[in-house]
Amino acid sequence: MSTLAERVSAFINAQGHLTETDTSNDNAAAVRFRSRGLAYTAWTMNDDDTYLQLSCAMTLQPDVAFDAPLLRTLWECQERFKCVKFSLEHDDMLFVCSVEAFFAGPDGYQPTFWRSVSVIESAINEAMRNIWAKQSVKAAADKFIEELSQGTR
């Protein structure tokens, strides 16, 4: 019998997407694929054929500061996408958006797989727009305050 990672990979390939499977971890396998310009990873657990996590990550600019207003904005975005989890990894340089699924049968992920990808795409795009907008406003305000304090304004 094939593993869940192999079945997920075959399912994604059948939809016309190339996949790359990483089985180097003893506990989990990662199936990487691209859809609509974004890179996704489907994580499976080697000992649990009823669990699948889909995630997409974007690298953040080094000057992104996760201050209270930005975190509040992301919290509001998180509320609109209740099934999605946002997280920061690699010293807050990687913004990750994930959906977890638990299903009864060996191919239970199939009916909702592409809907989950679509939800992740919507959530990460909205969150990144909010991050960029907040950073633009913050940068403009910082520049204005600096010019004001230097008397050039």
Side-chain angles (χ1 to χ4, degrees):
M1 181 184 220
S2 62
T3 66
L4 178 58
E6 291 168 336
R7 293 192 310 273
V8 168
S9 180
F11 174 75
I12 296 168
N13 283 324
Q15 301 293 313
H17 300 273
L18 298 176
T19 60
E20 173 189 312
T21 303
D22 179 358
T23 58
S24 61
N25 186 312
D26 290 337
N27 299 319
V31 179
R32 294 181 184 84
F33 65 99
R34 295 186 70 79
S35 177
R36 296 191 222 187
L38 296 174
Y40 293 87
T41 303
W43 290 97
T44 63
M45 303 304 293
N46 292 342
D47 60 350
D48 188 353
D49 266 4
T50 64
Y51 174 80
L52 179 69
Q53 181 190 58
L54 288 171
S55 62
C56 180
M58 289 195 171
T59 303
L60 298 172
Q61 297 296 323
D63 61 342
V64 172
F66 284 91
D67 55 7
L70 179 56
L71 292 173
R72 189 173 7 309
T73 299
L74 290 176
W75 176 258
E76 291 167 1
C77 185
Q78 174 80 61
E79 285 182 328
R80 285 191 292 284
F81 296 95
K82 296 201 184 310
C83 66
V84 172
K85 288 195 289 186
F86 293 138
S87 61
L88 294 168
E89 297 182 12
H90 302 289
D91 296 325
D92 295 346
M93 295 304 299
L94 198 60
F95 183 70
V96 181
C97 183
S98 302
V99 171
E100 291 181 313
F102 300 89
F103 38 90
D107 295 325
Y109 62 89
Q110 290 182 0
T112 60
F113 186 88
W114 293 110
R115 171 75 178 126
S116 294
V117 168
S118 178
V119 168
I120 290 170
E121 176 186 3
S122 296
I124 202 162
N125 283 331
E126 182 173 328
M128 292 303 291
R129 274 192 305 276
N130 287 334
I131 290 170
W132 292 320
K134 289 291 182 188
Q135 283 307 111
S136 295
V137 168
K138 185 177 182 327
D142 289 347
K143 182 179 178 186
F144 176 78
I145 290 169
E146 184 177 325
E147 289 174 354
L148 193 61
S149 68
Q150 293 176 355
T152 58
R153 255 259 168 185

